[in-house]
C-alpha cells in the first residue's frame, strides 16, 4: 500500500512538473510579444542581443555540465550502506583548475560586457535629443528646441508615446517628478531608472518604422502596472509631418458646434490641470494650467494634440477601436507612419474606454484621488480625480477633444 | 489554645459585631451600619485565618522550633527601597497634576524601587546567612544594575556637560575647556606623583567634580542656551530680492562649492572669461539650441561653473512663478541664485519651476549680476 501511494505521489509530482515545464516552453513561443528583448529592432538592442545570446548559451552549457556531474555523483555515490570512503584534505591541483576555469570564463564574459556597456553609454553620435519625465503613473515626453531631430523650432510636448525618426541616433534624457521609475523599450535598448533630481541618458535608434511598446519597470506605486509607453518610429519624412502637426497653431472649434460647447466645458472643468496650448480666456489672455497647484507630481498630460496619439492614460488604453487599432499597429513598416499620422477619427475613437475615463478616471485606473486620503500629499491627488461630469458634458468634451489633432 | 494574636482579633471582631448591632438600632444610619458590618466581617475572617495558622506562634516546649522559627532568623538590615518606592508613588501622584516629566520620573522611580525591593526581599529568604543572601542578590541584579547605572551616569554627565557648553559663550567655552584640561592634567599628575594618595580621597575629589558638573548643568539648562547665529543662505537673498546683486553677503561666506562627479545634473552652466553664459548637458548639447530646456515642476539640478576671473553668482528671475512649488507657493521668492562662486568653482542650483515660460512675459533668463553680457534663456514647456 505504502509503496503504491509513494509511487503515485512521485508520478503526480512528475506530471505537475512536466505541465509546468510545458507551460513555460509554450509561453516562450508567444506569437504576439511586443516587449521581447530577444527581438531587437535597432542597433542598441542588437548590441545587447549580441552579448546576451552567447552568454546564455555559455551559461547553459556550464549549467548542463554542472547538473550532469551532480546527477552522476548523486546516483553513483548514493548511500547503499557501504563503508565511508577514505577522507582526504583536498586536492590542490583539482582546486586550482576548478578556480582557474570559472575565472577564465568570467574574464571572457566581462570583456565584451564592459565593451557593450561603454558602447551603450556613448552619446557623441547623437542626432536628436528628447526628454522624458516619469510621474505616477504616466510618462511625459518633450522635444527641446534644436537643430537635431531635423530641426525643432518650438518645444513639443506630449505624453505616453514618443515619436522618433528611423535611422536616427536619439538620445533620451530622462528624469522623474516623484518616485523612481524605469523607462524600457525592450526592442530598442535596455532599461534605465529615472530618478528625481538626476538626468539619465538612454540611446535609441530604430531601424524600421513601427510601434515599439514598453512599460515602467521600477515599481512605483498603485498603478505601476498601468504605466506603459510606446516609441513610434517613422520615416524622417513622416516625422517632419508629425512635428509640423505638434507645432501648429491652436484652432478653436467653430462657433455653435458641440465642440465649441466642449471648449467652454474644458475651460471650466479641465484647464486648471490640463494645458491646451493656444487656448485663451474671454479677454484673450492665454490660459495657463496650474498642475503644480493641483496634482502632487505638478504635471498632467498636455492635451493640445491628444488625438495625434493613439493610447492614453499611461498608454494603458487605446484611443482607437480594436479594428482601427489593428489597422495601425499591424501595418507594414512602409505604411505604419502614414497610418499613425491619421490620428483618431470620430469613427475610430474607442469611445467606450475614453468616455469611461472622463466619467470617472480613478474607477478605470487606480489612483490616489479620494479627497479624504490625501493628507500625505498636502491635499493634492496623484492622478486624475473623478470630476462628476454629466453625459452631455462628456459628449461636448469628446467632440472638443476629437479636434485636438 | 488561643494565641495572643487570635485573642486580639476575636475580641475586635466581637466588639465590631456588637457595635454594628448597637449602631444599627440606635442610629438608624445605613452607611455607618454597612461600614461596621464590613469591619466585623473582615475581622472575623482575619480571626479565622489566625486561629487556623496558630498565629505562627511557637510553643515553648518545642525546642527545634525555637531555632527555625521566623523570629529566630537574623533580622534583615534596613532597606531604603520601601522608602524609595513610597517616594516614587508620591512623585507619580504629583506628576499627575503637574508635569508629564515628573510623572515619568515617578513611574521610573516606582518601577526601579519596586524591582530592587522585590529582588532584595527575595534574596533575603535565600538562606539564613546574610552574607550569602547579599551575594545571591548581587549575582542576579548586578548584570542589569551596573550597565544601567553606568548609562544613566554617563548620560547625566554628558547632558550636564552639553548644557554648560551651550550656555557658555563661544570664547568662554574655549577658556572653560582649557581650565578643565589643566585640572585633569594636574590631578593626573598628582595621582601619578603620589601613588600613596588614598583612593577614598581620589573618589571624593571626582565625586565632588561630577556633582559640581551636574549642578552646573541643571543651572545652565534652566538659564537656557546662548544665542546661536543662523547663517544666511541664498534663500534669504532671494527673499530679500537681492539675487541681482554682485555684492558679497553673509550667505556668500563659507559656502560649500563641491558637487559629486556622479551628480548627473540637468545642465552645467558656465560663465567664461568673455562674460558669456553657456550650457552643457551630460550628453551632447542639442545642436543649434541657444536656450536651455528644463521640465516644468521637476526638481532640476543646474551646476554653475565660474570660469571668469571674479567671484560671481548665477541668478534666475522667475517672473510670475516662484522658487517653491505647490503648497509652499505663498511665501516663496520669485528668484533663485547661487552664492558667489570663486574662480574655477562650481555650485549647484536646484530649480522647481511651476509655470511654463509662456506664462512669463519675456520668458525666463539666467543672468550673472555685474556681467551685462551674461544671459541664457530658459525654456520650460
Ligand atoms: Cu513608474
Amino acid at each position: 500500500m505504502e509503496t503504491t501511494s509513494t509511487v503515485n505521489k512521485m508520478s503526480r509530482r512528475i506530471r505537475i512538473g512536466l505541465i509546468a515545464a510545458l507551460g513555460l516552453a509554450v509561453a516562450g513561443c508567444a506569437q504576439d510579444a511586443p516587449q521581447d528583448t530577444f527581438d531587437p529592432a535597432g542597433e542598441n538592442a542588437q548590441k545587447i542581443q549580441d552579448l546576451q545570446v552567447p552568454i546564455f548559451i555559455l551559461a547553459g552549457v556550464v549549467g548542463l555540465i554542472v547538473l550532469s556531474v551532480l546527477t552522476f555523483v548523486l546516483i553513483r555515490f548514493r548511500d547503499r550502506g557501504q563503508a565511508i570512503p577514505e577522507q582526504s584534505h583536498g586536492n590542490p591541483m583539482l582546486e586550482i583548475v576548478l578556480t582557474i576555469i570559472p575565472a577564465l570564463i568570467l574574464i571572457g564574459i566581462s570583456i565584451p560586457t564592459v565593451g557593450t556597456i561603454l558602447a551603450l553609454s556613448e552619446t557623441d553620435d547623437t542626432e536628436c535629443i528628447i526628454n522624458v519625465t516619469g510621474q505616477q503613473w504616466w510618462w511625459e515626453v518633450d522635444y527641446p528646441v534644436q537643430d537635431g531631430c531635423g530641426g525643432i523650432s518650438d518645444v513639443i510636448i506630449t505624453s505616453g508615446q514618443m515619436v522618433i525618426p528611423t535611422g536616427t541616433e536619439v538620445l533620451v534624457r530622462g528624469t522623474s517628478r516623484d518616485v523612481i521609475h524605469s523607462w524600457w523599450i525592450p526592442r530598442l535598448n535596455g532599461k534605465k531608472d529615472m530618478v528625481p533630481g538626476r538626468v539619465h541618458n538612454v540611446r535609441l535608434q530604430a531601424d524600421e518604422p513601427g510601434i515599439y511598446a514598453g512599460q515602467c519597470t521600477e515599481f512605483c506605486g498603485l498603478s505601476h502596472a498601468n504605466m506603459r509607453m510606446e516609441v513610434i518610429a517613422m520615416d524622417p519624412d513622416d516625422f517632419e509631418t508629425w512635428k509640423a502637426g505638434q507645432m501648429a497653431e491652436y484652432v478653436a472649434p467653430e462657433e455653435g458646434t458641440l465642440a465649441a460647447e466642449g471648449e467652454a466645458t474644458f475651460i471650466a472643468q479641465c484647464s486648471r490641470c490640463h494645458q491646451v496650448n493656444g487656448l485663451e480666456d474671454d479677454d484673450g489672455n492665454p490660459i495657463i494650467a496650474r498642475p503644480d497647484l493641483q496634482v502632487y507630481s505638478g504635471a498632467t498630460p498636455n492635451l493640445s494634440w491628444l488625438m495625434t496619439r493613439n493610447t492614453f492614460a499611461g498608454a494603458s488604453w487605446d484611443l482607437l477601436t480594436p479594428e482601427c487599432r489593428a489597422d495601425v499597429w499591424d501595418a507594414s513598416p512602409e505604411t505604419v507612419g502614414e497610418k499613425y499620422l491619421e490620428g483618431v477619427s470620430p469613427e475610430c475613437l474607442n469611445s467606450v474606454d475614453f468616455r469611461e475615463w472622463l466619467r470617472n478616471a480613478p474607477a478605470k485606473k487606480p489612483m490616489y484621488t479620494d479627497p479624504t486620503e490625501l493628507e500625505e500629499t498636502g491635499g493634492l491627488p496623484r492622478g486624475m480625480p473623478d470630476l462628476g461630469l454629466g453625459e452631455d458634458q462628456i459628449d461636448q468634451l469628446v467632440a472638443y477633444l476629437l479636434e485636438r489633432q | 489554645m488561643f494565641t495572643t494574636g487570635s485573642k486580639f482579633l476575636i475580641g475586635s471582631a466581637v466588639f465590631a459585631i456588637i457595635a454594628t448591632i448597637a449602631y444599627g438600632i440606635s442610629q438608624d444610619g445605613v452607611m455607618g451600619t454597612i461600614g461596621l458590618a464590613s469591619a466585623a466581617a473582615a475581622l472575623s475572617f482575619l480571626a479565622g485565618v489566625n486561629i487556623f495558622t496558630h498565629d505562627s506562634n511557637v510553643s515553648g516546649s518545642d525546642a527545634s522550633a525555637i531555632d527555625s522559627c521566623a523570629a529566630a532568623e537574623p533580622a534583615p538590615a534596613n532597606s531604603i527601597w520601601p522608602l524609595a518606592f513610597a517616594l516614587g508613588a508620591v512623585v507619580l501622584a504629583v506628576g499627575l497634576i503637574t508635569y508629564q516629566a515628573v510623572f515619568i520620573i515617578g513611574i521610573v522611580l516606582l518601577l526601579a524601587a519596586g524591582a530592587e525591593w522585590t529582588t532584595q526581599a527575595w534574596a533575603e529568604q535565600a538562606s539564613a546567612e546574610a552574607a550569602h543572601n547579599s551575594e545571591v542578590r548581587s549575582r542576579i541584579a548586578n548584570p542589569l544594575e551596573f550597565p544601567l547605572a553606568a548609562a544613566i551616569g554617563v548620560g547625566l554627565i554628558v547632558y550636564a556637560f552639553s548644557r554648560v557648553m551651550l550656555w557658555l559663550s563661544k570664547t568662554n567655552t574655549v577658556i572653560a575647556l582649557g581650565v578643565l584640561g589643566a585640572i585633569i592634567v594636574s590631578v593626573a599628575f598628582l595621582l601619578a606623583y603620589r601613588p600613596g594618595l588614598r583612593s577614598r580621597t581620589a573618589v571624593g575629589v571626582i565625586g565632588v567634580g561630577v556633582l559640581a558638573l551636574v549642578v552646573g548643568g541643571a543651572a545652565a539648562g534652566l538659564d537656557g542656551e546662548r544665542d546661536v547665529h543662523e547663517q544666511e543662505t541664498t534663500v534669504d537673498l532671494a527673499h530679500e530680492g537681492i539675487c541681482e546683486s554682485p555684492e558679497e553677503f553673509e550667505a556668500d561666506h563659507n559656502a560649500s562649492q563641491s558637487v559629486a562627479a556622479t551628480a548627473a545634473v540637468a545642465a552645467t552652466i558656465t560663465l567664461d572669461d568673455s562674460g558669456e553664459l553657456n550650457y552643457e548637458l551630460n550628453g551632447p548639447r542639442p545642436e543649434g539650441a541657444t536656450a536651455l530646456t528644463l521640465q516644468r515642476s521637476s526638481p532640476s539640478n543646474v551646476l554653475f561653473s565660474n570660469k571668469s576671473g571674479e567671484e560671481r553668482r548665477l541668478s534666475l528671475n522667475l517672473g510670475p512663478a516662484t522658487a517653491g512649488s505647490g503648497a509652499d507657493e505663498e511665501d516663496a521668492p520669485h528668484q533663485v541664485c547661487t552664492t558667489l562662486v570663486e574662480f574655477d568653482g562650481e555650485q549647484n542650483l536646484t530649480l522647481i519651476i511651476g509655470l511654463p515660460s509662456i506664462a512669463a512675459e519675456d520668458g525666463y533668463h539666467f543672468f550673472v549680476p555685474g556681467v551685462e553680457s551674461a544671459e541664457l534663456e530658459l525654456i520650460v514647456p
Side-chain angles (χ1 to χ4, degrees), chain A residues 129 133 145 147 173 177 197-199 201 289-292 298, chain B residues 262 264 266 282 284 287-289 295-297 301 326 355:
Chain A
I129 291 181
T133 316
V145 171
D147 286 350
R173 305 183 76 235
R177 289 191 168 97
R198 298 175 62 93
V199 175
N201 293 333
R290 295 303 303 267
D292 54 323
Chain B
T262 52
N282 61 346
E287 226 175 289
Q295 287 94 329
R296 179 180 184 178
S297 297
N301 290 310
L355 279 173

PDB file of all heavy atoms in Angstrom, chain A residues 129 133 145 147 173 177 197-199 201 289-292 298, chain B residues 262 264 266 282 284 287-289 295-297 301 326 355:
ATOM      1  N   ILE A 129      17.633  65.009 -29.597  1.00  0.00           N
ATOM      2  CA  ILE A 129      17.524  64.904 -28.143  1.00  0.00           C
ATOM      3  C   ILE A 129      16.068  65.020 -27.700  1.00  0.00           C
ATOM      4  O   ILE A 129      15.351  65.941 -28.115  1.00  0.00           O
ATOM      5  CB  ILE A 129      18.386  65.991 -27.461  1.00  0.00           C
ATOM      6  CG1 ILE A 129      19.866  65.665 -27.696  1.00  0.00           C
ATOM      7  CG2 ILE A 129      18.093  66.071 -25.968  1.00  0.00           C
ATOM      8  CD1 ILE A 129      20.810  66.621 -27.069  1.00  0.00           C
ATOM      9  N   THR A 133       9.964  62.430 -18.788  1.00  0.00           N
ATOM     10  CA  THR A 133       9.830  62.650 -17.361  1.00  0.00           C
ATOM     11  C   THR A 133       8.747  61.727 -16.832  1.00  0.00           C
ATOM     12  O   THR A 133       7.612  61.773 -17.300  1.00  0.00           O
ATOM     13  CB  THR A 133       9.438  64.113 -17.077  1.00  0.00           C
ATOM     14  OG1 THR A 133      10.230  64.967 -17.893  1.00  0.00           O
ATOM     15  CG2 THR A 133       9.667  64.466 -15.624  1.00  0.00           C
ATOM     16  N   VAL A 145      13.993  72.736 -28.138  1.00  0.00           N
ATOM     17  CA  VAL A 145      14.331  73.442 -29.367  1.00  0.00           C
ATOM     18  C   VAL A 145      15.741  73.052 -29.787  1.00  0.00           C
ATOM     19  O   VAL A 145      16.655  73.027 -28.967  1.00  0.00           O
ATOM     20  CB  VAL A 145      14.264  74.966 -29.103  1.00  0.00           C
ATOM     21  CG1 VAL A 145      14.812  75.736 -30.291  1.00  0.00           C
ATOM     22  CG2 VAL A 145      12.835  75.369 -28.785  1.00  0.00           C
ATOM     23  N   ASP A 147      18.511  71.987 -33.525  1.00  0.00           N
ATOM     24  CA  ASP A 147      18.682  71.704 -34.948  1.00  0.00           C
ATOM     25  C   ASP A 147      18.550  70.214 -35.197  1.00  0.00           C
ATOM     26  O   ASP A 147      18.286  69.781 -36.312  1.00  0.00           O
ATOM     27  CB  ASP A 147      20.066  72.166 -35.418  1.00  0.00           C
ATOM     28  CG  ASP A 147      20.134  73.676 -35.518  1.00  0.00           C
ATOM     29  OD1 ASP A 147      19.069  74.314 -35.419  1.00  0.00           O
ATOM     30  OD2 ASP A 147      21.241  74.213 -35.660  1.00  0.00           O
ATOM     31  N   ARG A 173      16.834  61.835 -22.612  1.00  0.00           N
ATOM     32  CA  ARG A 173      17.319  62.312 -21.315  1.00  0.00           C
ATOM     33  C   ARG A 173      16.150  62.201 -20.348  1.00  0.00           C
ATOM     34  O   ARG A 173      15.153  62.884 -20.480  1.00  0.00           O
ATOM     35  CB  ARG A 173      17.787  63.773 -21.401  1.00  0.00           C
ATOM     36  CG  ARG A 173      18.833  64.024 -22.469  1.00  0.00           C
ATOM     37  CD  ARG A 173      19.302  65.482 -22.443  1.00  0.00           C
ATOM     38  NE  ARG A 173      20.203  65.730 -21.342  1.00  0.00           N
ATOM     39  CZ  ARG A 173      20.034  66.683 -20.423  1.00  0.00           C
ATOM     40  NH1 ARG A 173      18.975  67.461 -20.466  1.00  0.00           N
ATOM     41  NH2 ARG A 173      20.904  66.852 -19.455  1.00  0.00           N
ATOM     42  N   ARG A 177       9.479  63.097 -11.621  1.00  0.00           N
ATOM     43  CA  ARG A 177       8.970  64.177 -10.777  1.00  0.00           C
ATOM     44  C   ARG A 177       8.630  63.707  -9.376  1.00  0.00           C
ATOM     45  O   ARG A 177       8.390  64.519  -8.497  1.00  0.00           O
ATOM     46  CB  ARG A 177       7.713  64.785 -11.392  1.00  0.00           C
ATOM     47  CG  ARG A 177       7.976  65.589 -12.636  1.00  0.00           C
ATOM     48  CD  ARG A 177       6.742  66.386 -13.034  1.00  0.00           C
ATOM     49  NE  ARG A 177       7.070  67.363 -14.055  1.00  0.00           N
ATOM     50  CZ  ARG A 177       6.882  67.179 -15.354  1.00  0.00           C
ATOM     51  NH1 ARG A 177       6.361  66.073 -15.802  1.00  0.00           N
ATOM     52  NH2 ARG A 177       7.208  68.131 -16.215  1.00  0.00           N
ATOM     53  N   GLY A 197      15.633  64.475  -9.709  1.00  0.00           N
ATOM     54  CA  GLY A 197      16.823  65.282  -9.474  1.00  0.00           C
ATOM     55  C   GLY A 197      18.035  64.855 -10.287  1.00  0.00           C
ATOM     56  O   GLY A 197      19.057  65.512 -10.260  1.00  0.00           O
ATOM     57  N   ARG A 198      17.927  63.742 -10.981  1.00  0.00           N
ATOM     58  CA  ARG A 198      19.051  63.278 -11.804  1.00  0.00           C
ATOM     59  C   ARG A 198      18.565  63.125 -13.237  1.00  0.00           C
ATOM     60  O   ARG A 198      17.390  62.880 -13.480  1.00  0.00           O
ATOM     61  CB  ARG A 198      19.574  61.932 -11.313  1.00  0.00           C
ATOM     62  CG  ARG A 198      20.130  61.962  -9.906  1.00  0.00           C
ATOM     63  CD  ARG A 198      20.500  60.559  -9.470  1.00  0.00           C
ATOM     64  NE  ARG A 198      21.537  59.977 -10.295  1.00  0.00           N
ATOM     65  CZ  ARG A 198      22.841  60.052 -10.003  1.00  0.00           C
ATOM     66  NH1 ARG A 198      23.248  60.649  -8.914  1.00  0.00           N
ATOM     67  NH2 ARG A 198      23.741  59.518 -10.805  1.00  0.00           N
ATOM     68  N   VAL A 199      19.502  63.260 -14.179  1.00  0.00           N
ATOM     69  CA  VAL A 199      19.141  63.065 -15.582  1.00  0.00           C
ATOM     70  C   VAL A 199      19.947  61.891 -16.104  1.00  0.00           C
ATOM     71  O   VAL A 199      21.170  61.905 -16.042  1.00  0.00           O
ATOM     72  CB  VAL A 199      19.436  64.336 -16.396  1.00  0.00           C
ATOM     73  CG1 VAL A 199      19.164  64.078 -17.872  1.00  0.00           C
ATOM     74  CG2 VAL A 199      18.578  65.493 -15.897  1.00  0.00           C
ATOM     75  N   ASN A 201      20.685  59.096 -19.292  1.00  0.00           N
ATOM     76  CA  ASN A 201      20.584  59.014 -20.754  1.00  0.00           C
ATOM     77  C   ASN A 201      20.283  57.599 -21.240  1.00  0.00           C
ATOM     78  O   ASN A 201      20.785  56.639 -20.678  1.00  0.00           O
ATOM     79  CB  ASN A 201      21.916  59.431 -21.378  1.00  0.00           C
ATOM     80  CG  ASN A 201      22.217  60.899 -21.159  1.00  0.00           C
ATOM     81  OD1 ASN A 201      21.306  61.703 -21.017  1.00  0.00           O
ATOM     82  ND2 ASN A 201      23.487  61.250 -21.127  1.00  0.00           N
ATOM     83  N   ALA A 289      -2.546  76.318 -17.437  1.00  0.00           N
ATOM     84  CA  ALA A 289      -2.953  75.325 -16.433  1.00  0.00           C
ATOM     85  C   ALA A 289      -1.979  75.384 -15.260  1.00  0.00           C
ATOM     86  O   ALA A 289      -0.822  75.735 -15.425  1.00  0.00           O
ATOM     87  CB  ALA A 289      -2.942  73.941 -17.055  1.00  0.00           C
ATOM     88  N   ARG A 290      -2.498  75.056 -14.065  1.00  0.00           N
ATOM     89  CA  ARG A 290      -1.613  75.056 -12.893  1.00  0.00           C
ATOM     90  C   ARG A 290      -1.550  73.668 -12.247  1.00  0.00           C
ATOM     91  O   ARG A 290      -1.904  73.516 -11.082  1.00  0.00           O
ATOM     92  CB  ARG A 290      -2.100  76.085 -11.866  1.00  0.00           C
ATOM     93  CG  ARG A 290      -2.051  77.535 -12.309  1.00  0.00           C
ATOM     94  CD  ARG A 290      -0.658  77.986 -12.737  1.00  0.00           C
ATOM     95  NE  ARG A 290       0.378  77.821 -11.728  1.00  0.00           N
ATOM     96  CZ  ARG A 290       0.748  78.772 -10.858  1.00  0.00           C
ATOM     97  NH1 ARG A 290       0.167  79.933 -10.852  1.00  0.00           N
ATOM     98  NH2 ARG A 290       1.712  78.538  -9.985  1.00  0.00           N
ATOM     99  N   PRO A 291      -1.090  72.683 -13.005  1.00  0.00           N
ATOM    100  CA  PRO A 291      -0.977  71.359 -12.382  1.00  0.00           C
ATOM    101  C   PRO A 291      -0.062  71.403 -11.158  1.00  0.00           C
ATOM    102  O   PRO A 291      -0.190  70.575 -10.266  1.00  0.00           O
ATOM    103  CB  PRO A 291      -0.375  70.480 -13.486  1.00  0.00           C
ATOM    104  CG  PRO A 291       0.248  71.427 -14.447  1.00  0.00           C
ATOM    105  CD  PRO A 291      -0.580  72.676 -14.381  1.00  0.00           C
ATOM    106  N   ASP A 292       0.849  72.384 -11.122  1.00  0.00           N
ATOM    107  CA  ASP A 292       1.748  72.478  -9.965  1.00  0.00           C
ATOM    108  C   ASP A 292       0.968  72.752  -8.681  1.00  0.00           C
ATOM    109  O   ASP A 292       1.451  72.477  -7.594  1.00  0.00           O
ATOM    110  CB  ASP A 292       2.812  73.551 -10.201  1.00  0.00           C
ATOM    111  CG  ASP A 292       2.217  74.902 -10.570  1.00  0.00           C
ATOM    112  OD1 ASP A 292       1.198  74.925 -11.299  1.00  0.00           O
ATOM    113  OD2 ASP A 292       2.737  75.933 -10.121  1.00  0.00           O
ATOM    114  N   GLY A 298       2.832  67.672  -9.917  1.00  0.00           N
ATOM    115  CA  GLY A 298       2.985  69.000 -10.505  1.00  0.00           C
ATOM    116  C   GLY A 298       2.828  69.001 -12.016  1.00  0.00           C
ATOM    117  O   GLY A 298       3.109  70.005 -12.656  1.00  0.00           O
TER     118      GLY A 298
ATOM    119  N   THR B 262      29.324  62.311  -9.831  1.00  0.00           N
ATOM    120  CA  THR B 262      28.278  61.431 -10.347  1.00  0.00           C
ATOM    121  C   THR B 262      26.897  62.065 -10.226  1.00  0.00           C
ATOM    122  O   THR B 262      25.894  61.370 -10.287  1.00  0.00           O
ATOM    123  CB  THR B 262      28.260  60.125  -9.546  1.00  0.00           C
ATOM    124  OG1 THR B 262      28.186  60.468  -8.165  1.00  0.00           O
ATOM    125  CG2 THR B 262      29.474  59.297  -9.793  1.00  0.00           C
ATOM    126  N   ALA B 264      24.959  63.669 -12.111  1.00  0.00           N
ATOM    127  CA  ALA B 264      24.034  63.578 -13.241  1.00  0.00           C
ATOM    128  C   ALA B 264      23.071  64.760 -13.262  1.00  0.00           C
ATOM    129  O   ALA B 264      21.865  64.610 -13.257  1.00  0.00           O
ATOM    130  CB  ALA B 264      23.259  62.255 -13.222  1.00  0.00           C
ATOM    131  N   ALA B 266      21.095  68.238 -14.512  1.00  0.00           N
ATOM    132  CA  ALA B 266      20.335  68.510 -15.731  1.00  0.00           C
ATOM    133  C   ALA B 266      21.177  69.307 -16.723  1.00  0.00           C
ATOM    134  O   ALA B 266      21.078  69.107 -17.922  1.00  0.00           O
ATOM    135  CB  ALA B 266      19.057  69.266 -15.388  1.00  0.00           C
ATOM    136  N   ASN B 282      24.790  66.448 -19.803  1.00  0.00           N
ATOM    137  CA  ASN B 282      25.599  65.255 -19.542  1.00  0.00           C
ATOM    138  C   ASN B 282      25.571  64.318 -20.734  1.00  0.00           C
ATOM    139  O   ASN B 282      25.736  63.129 -20.623  1.00  0.00           O
ATOM    140  CB  ASN B 282      25.140  64.535 -18.272  1.00  0.00           C
ATOM    141  CG  ASN B 282      23.716  64.055 -18.376  1.00  0.00           C
ATOM    142  OD1 ASN B 282      22.982  64.468 -19.274  1.00  0.00           O
ATOM    143  ND2 ASN B 282      23.292  63.188 -17.486  1.00  0.00           N
ATOM    144  N   PRO B 284      25.533  65.224 -25.341  1.00  0.00           N
ATOM    145  CA  PRO B 284      25.772  66.407 -26.165  1.00  0.00           C
ATOM    146  C   PRO B 284      24.680  67.430 -25.936  1.00  0.00           C
ATOM    147  O   PRO B 284      23.582  67.104 -25.501  1.00  0.00           O
ATOM    148  CB  PRO B 284      25.706  65.847 -27.581  1.00  0.00           C
ATOM    149  CG  PRO B 284      24.828  64.652 -27.455  1.00  0.00           C
ATOM    150  CD  PRO B 284      25.045  64.084 -26.097  1.00  0.00           C
ATOM    151  N   GLU B 287      22.119  70.441 -30.837  1.00  0.00           N
ATOM    152  CA  GLU B 287      22.732  71.308 -31.818  1.00  0.00           C
ATOM    153  C   GLU B 287      21.807  72.473 -32.143  1.00  0.00           C
ATOM    154  O   GLU B 287      20.609  72.286 -32.322  1.00  0.00           O
ATOM    155  CB  GLU B 287      22.928  70.483 -33.090  1.00  0.00           C
ATOM    156  CG  GLU B 287      24.286  70.629 -33.715  1.00  0.00           C
ATOM    157  CD  GLU B 287      24.381  69.678 -34.884  1.00  0.00           C
ATOM    158  OE1 GLU B 287      24.459  68.450 -34.631  1.00  0.00           O
ATOM    159  OE2 GLU B 287      24.329  70.155 -36.017  1.00  0.00           O
ATOM    160  N   GLY B 288      22.390  73.653 -32.244  1.00  0.00           N
ATOM    161  CA  GLY B 288      21.605  74.814 -32.653  1.00  0.00           C
ATOM    162  C   GLY B 288      20.709  75.363 -31.567  1.00  0.00           C
ATOM    163  O   GLY B 288      19.936  76.283 -31.800  1.00  0.00           O
ATOM    164  N   ALA B 289      20.781  74.788 -30.371  1.00  0.00           N
ATOM    165  CA  ALA B 289      19.910  75.277 -29.305  1.00  0.00           C
ATOM    166  C   ALA B 289      20.643  76.346 -28.520  1.00  0.00           C
ATOM    167  O   ALA B 289      21.678  76.086 -27.924  1.00  0.00           O
ATOM    168  CB  ALA B 289      19.506  74.132 -28.393  1.00  0.00           C
ATOM    169  N   GLN B 295      12.327  70.687 -17.647  1.00  0.00           N
ATOM    170  CA  GLN B 295      10.937  70.317 -17.459  1.00  0.00           C
ATOM    171  C   GLN B 295      10.256  71.152 -16.371  1.00  0.00           C
ATOM    172  O   GLN B 295      10.879  71.544 -15.400  1.00  0.00           O
ATOM    173  CB  GLN B 295      10.816  68.842 -17.077  1.00  0.00           C
ATOM    174  CG  GLN B 295      11.086  67.905 -18.211  1.00  0.00           C
ATOM    175  CD  GLN B 295      12.532  67.450 -18.252  1.00  0.00           C
ATOM    176  OE1 GLN B 295      13.419  68.206 -17.852  1.00  0.00           O
ATOM    177  NE2 GLN B 295      12.758  66.254 -18.724  1.00  0.00           N
ATOM    178  N   ARG B 296       8.970  71.320 -16.563  1.00  0.00           N
ATOM    179  CA  ARG B 296       8.160  72.028 -15.578  1.00  0.00           C
ATOM    180  C   ARG B 296       7.953  71.166 -14.335  1.00  0.00           C
ATOM    181  O   ARG B 296       7.882  69.942 -14.436  1.00  0.00           O
ATOM    182  CB  ARG B 296       6.801  72.303 -16.231  1.00  0.00           C
ATOM    183  CG  ARG B 296       5.812  73.000 -15.366  1.00  0.00           C
ATOM    184  CD  ARG B 296       4.529  73.187 -16.159  1.00  0.00           C
ATOM    185  NE  ARG B 296       3.579  73.949 -15.371  1.00  0.00           N
ATOM    186  CZ  ARG B 296       2.385  74.311 -15.817  1.00  0.00           C
ATOM    187  NH1 ARG B 296       2.002  73.988 -17.028  1.00  0.00           N
ATOM    188  NH2 ARG B 296       1.576  75.006 -15.049  1.00  0.00           N
ATOM    189  N   SER B 297       7.869  71.822 -13.167  1.00  0.00           N
ATOM    190  CA  SER B 297       7.531  71.137 -11.903  1.00  0.00           C
ATOM    191  C   SER B 297       8.446  69.972 -11.557  1.00  0.00           C
ATOM    192  O   SER B 297       8.058  69.094 -10.818  1.00  0.00           O
ATOM    193  CB  SER B 297       6.106  70.573 -11.930  1.00  0.00           C
ATOM    194  OG  SER B 297       5.194  71.595 -12.044  1.00  0.00           O
ATOM    195  N   ASN B 301      18.582  69.972 -11.225  1.00  0.00           N
ATOM    196  CA  ASN B 301      19.836  70.475 -10.665  1.00  0.00           C
ATOM    197  C   ASN B 301      20.673  71.069 -11.776  1.00  0.00           C
ATOM    198  O   ASN B 301      20.967  70.414 -12.761  1.00  0.00           O
ATOM    199  CB  ASN B 301      20.605  69.347  -9.992  1.00  0.00           C
ATOM    200  CG  ASN B 301      19.910  68.894  -8.724  1.00  0.00           C
ATOM    201  OD1 ASN B 301      19.574  69.724  -7.889  1.00  0.00           O
ATOM    202  ND2 ASN B 301      19.659  67.609  -8.608  1.00  0.00           N
ATOM    203  N   GLY B 326       3.768  74.136  -5.532  1.00  0.00           N
ATOM    204  CA  GLY B 326       2.579  73.658  -4.844  1.00  0.00           C
ATOM    205  C   GLY B 326       2.256  74.470  -3.612  1.00  0.00           C
ATOM    206  O   GLY B 326       2.173  75.689  -3.656  1.00  0.00           O
ATOM    207  N   LEU B 355       5.603  77.077 -13.431  1.00  0.00           N
ATOM    208  CA  LEU B 355       4.891  77.645 -14.587  1.00  0.00           C
ATOM    209  C   LEU B 355       5.727  77.549 -15.855  1.00  0.00           C
ATOM    210  O   LEU B 355       6.937  77.733 -15.813  1.00  0.00           O
ATOM    211  CB  LEU B 355       4.588  79.125 -14.319  1.00  0.00           C
ATOM    212  CG  LEU B 355       3.375  79.434 -13.447  1.00  0.00           C
ATOM    213  CD1 LEU B 355       3.313  80.917 -13.144  1.00  0.00           C
ATOM    214  CD2 LEU B 355       2.107  78.993 -14.152  1.00  0.00           C
TER     215      LEU B 355
END
